Amino acid sequence: MPYYGVQSTPLRQVCKEVFTEYPLADRPQWTETALSLWRKAKFREERYAARELTGWRLYASWQDVHALPMYLEMVSTGAWWDHVDEVAIRRIGPIHRAYRETVTPMVRRWSTDDDMWIRRTSIICQIGAKASTDYDLLAEVIEPSVESREFFLPKAIGWALRDLAWHDPDWVVSYVDSMGDRLSGLSRREALKNVDR
């Protein structure tokens, strides 16, 4: 998808002006508008604007399980790290933490999805969770992709572990050691990048 060449700061400023001037009446209008922007986009920045709309503070109360189908569509059709990572970490991640009992089984299912980007989402959606990280879930969602040679999956595994290592380096070191050679060199290097051994 081509770019207009608009940098992130002016893009966010334009979005802020438009979103403030034209508030959306309800959740269906919010979802419909965001997905319409997303689906009709011809340039990458138009999809960035759709993502900005989903995270606009006026609609914070709609960040719940009902928003997940919209986010999964953005992940699967965005199909590149710049879209997927933002949606996985900044949209799906907080919903998972707020509605853990409902969303955890979904995250588990995503880890075996045929779509690599959905699988990546299952691995990285806990980035930034710190003490709220579900360690067992993280290990579970890594498992189906641990031997993948698709660059974005081993990279995601390493990134998720590296992020957790800021909070709990001992657990990450123990996990990496327990995985032995099953863990790719890329995942291992990323996971231990900031750990003193």
Side-chain angles (χ1 to χ4, degrees):
M1 188 175 282
Y3 284 92
Y4 283 119
V6 180
Q7 298 297 312
S8 59
T9 300
L11 175 71
R12 288 195 182 100
Q13 184 58 40
V14 168
C15 288
K16 179 180 178 182
E17 291 170 11
V18 172
F19 300 163
T20 301
E21 178 109 14
Y22 301 100
L24 301 171
D26 52 30
R27 179 198 289 269
Q29 190 179 41
W30 170 67
T31 304
E32 182 182 331
T33 303
L35 285 177
S36 180
L37 279 169
W38 183 268
R39 292 167 180 163
K40 294 178 181 178
K42 302 293 185 208
F43 290 82
R44 210 152 189 87
E45 289 92 339
E46 293 165 351
R47 284 194 162 176
Y48 294 159
R51 276 194 351 232
E52 287 291 314
L53 179 61
T54 66
W56 185 240
R57 62 181 178 270
L58 191 61
Y59 314 122
S61 64
W62 299 333
Q63 298 294 338
D64 57 27
V65 175
H66 300 291
L68 290 177
M70 172 174 65
Y71 292 139
L72 285 181
E73 177 176 334
M74 290 180 169
V75 166
S76 63
T77 60
W80 197 245
W81 65 268
D82 59 343
H83 293 310
V84 172
D85 296 0
E86 179 77 10
V87 172
I89 296 167
R90 298 189 186 278
R91 303 289 184 272
I92 293 174
I95 293 172
H96 173 245
R97 290 191 287 280
Y99 302 92
R100 193 177 296 265
E101 190 172 315
T102 304
V103 180
T104 292
M106 297 180 188
V107 174
R108 245 186 231 110
R109 284 195 303 275
W110 300 341
S111 72
T112 58
D113 199 278
D114 290 338
D115 185 327
M116 175 189 74
W117 299 104
I118 299 288
R119 290 171 75 172
R120 180 176 169 93
T121 295
S122 75
I123 296 166
I124 65 172
C125 69
Q126 292 196 83
I127 285 178
K130 299 179 183 174
S132 296
T133 301
D134 182 333
Y135 290 46
D136 291 338
L137 177 63
L138 180 59
E140 281 183 66
V141 299
I142 286 173
E143 186 62 31
S145 297
V146 76
E147 293 173 7
S148 172
R149 294 298 169 249
E150 183 67 61
F151 172 80
F152 288 101
L153 292 175
K155 184 75 171 179
I157 291 168
W159 183 18
L161 292 170
R162 185 180 79 227
D163 180 75
L164 182 57
W166 289 111
H167 173 71
D168 193 343
D170 293 339
W171 187 89
V172 171
V173 169
S174 176
Y175 174 80
V176 168
D177 288 346
S178 74
M179 294 298 284
D181 291 339
R182 293 189 63 221
L183 205 61
S184 74
L186 173 60
S187 296
R188 180 181 295 275
R189 284 191 303 276
E190 288 290 318
L192 301 177
K193 189 174 281 186
N194 300 311
V195 174
D196 293 327
R197 295 195 73 177

